[in-house]
Amino acid sequence: MRRVAIVASASGNGKTTLGRELARRLDVPFHELDALNHGPGWVEATPEELRARVEPLVAADAWVIDGTYRGKLGDLGLRRADVVVWLDLPLRIWLPRLLRRTVRRVVRREELWNGNRETLRNVLFSRDSLILYAFRQHFRRRRVYPMELAPYPVVRLRTPRQVREWLATAAPPKATL
């Protein structure tokens, strides 16, 4: 396993955390597609721009990518992956994680990518609210992912314990000296 695409039912499932740790253990590059899609001022890349950024990454022999941006990239990352990891944790797990992470980012004014920061306005009160988006995606993806991901080698992880056990089996921790 040298090429892994990580998808989730909603924000807060742990895609980035798992992706970074898996890439570290496999000693392969990690690519967070949000960072490639969101430019300064939250301006999104066009499908052509994003494809131009992602194609060379997934053409490599080894990588872990966080996300797929299927609306812009189609199945580009999925079809080149050795395995697709679907994080499908219950709402009671991911929602508190998402809220804690979001509050921390807003309070600390943490930069996400390219100078962008979350604000209370854009995570709660905007038309594109992160929290509302996560809710919508969670239920929609649980309905459609079984069919959409069926052509690919998928590992569906539904509990934090399954995530830990899969990670330990798929990529044991490196020995330290």
Side-chain angles (χ1 to χ4, degrees), residues 70 86 141-152:
R70 292 184 77 205
W86 175 12
R141 288 176 178 164
R142 279 188 153 187
R143 270 192 329 273
V144 302
Y145 270 8
M147 291 177 299
E148 289 182 358
L149 298 178
Y152 308 103

Side-chain angles (χ1 to χ4, degrees), residues 1-64:
M1 174 178 64
R2 302 283 294 159
R3 297 178 309 251
V4 181
I6 301 177
V7 299
S9 296
S11 297
N13 269 261
K15 283 189 328 291
T16 305
T17 301
L18 176 62
R20 282 189 177 126
E21 181 59 19
L22 181 61
R24 186 189 70 75
R25 290 182 184 200
L26 294 174
D27 196 26
V28 303
F30 171 72
H31 306 289
E32 187 176 3
L33 296 192
D34 282 338
L36 299 174
N37 184 59
H38 296 286
W42 293 104
V43 174
E44 289 195 23
T46 66
E48 297 77 21
E49 291 167 337
L50 187 58
R51 180 171 285 277
R53 294 171 188 161
V54 174
E55 277 181 335
L57 303 177
V58 297
D61 291 335
W63 42 262
V64 173

Side-chain angles (χ1 to χ4, degrees), residues 8-149:
S9 296
S11 297
N13 269 261
K15 283 189 328 291
T16 305
T17 301
L18 176 62
R20 282 189 177 126
E21 181 59 19
L22 181 61
R24 186 189 70 75
R25 290 182 184 200
L26 294 174
D27 196 26
V28 303
F30 171 72
H31 306 289
E32 187 176 3
L33 296 192
D34 282 338
L36 299 174
N37 184 59
H38 296 286
W42 293 104
V43 174
E44 289 195 23
T46 66
E48 297 77 21
E49 291 167 337
L50 187 58
R51 180 171 285 277
R53 294 171 188 161
V54 174
E55 277 181 335
L57 303 177
V58 297
D61 291 335
W63 42 262
V64 173
I65 59 170
D66 166 0
T68 59
Y69 278 87
R70 292 184 77 205
K72 291 184 176 185
L73 299 174
D75 291 347
L76 178 65
L78 295 175
R79 75 173 176 267
R80 294 194 181 162
D82 297 325
V83 66
V84 176
V85 178
W86 175 12
L87 296 178
D88 187 25
L89 303 181
L91 184 89
R92 66 182 165 72
I93 301 289
W94 67 259
L95 182 58
R97 284 181 178 178
L98 179 61
L99 292 172
R100 279 191 304 273
R101 178 188 82 186
T102 301
V103 167
R104 184 193 75 236
R105 287 177 174 175
V106 169
V107 168
R108 294 182 183 171
R109 298 202 27 80
E110 292 179 18
E111 181 179 330
L112 279 78
W113 327 276
N114 304 309
N116 296 316
R117 290 175 170 75
E118 292 176 330
T119 64
L120 278 180
R121 181 173 177 236
N122 69 8
V123 298
L124 292 176
F125 306 115
S126 78
R127 179 174 62 93
D128 300 320
S129 162
L130 173 66
I131 306 302
L132 291 176
Y133 177 79
F135 268 108
R136 280 188 227 114
Q137 292 306 314
H138 173 76
F139 296 107
R140 187 189 75 75
R141 288 176 178 164
R142 279 188 153 187
R143 270 192 329 273
V144 302
Y145 270 8
M147 291 177 299
E148 289 182 358
L149 298 178

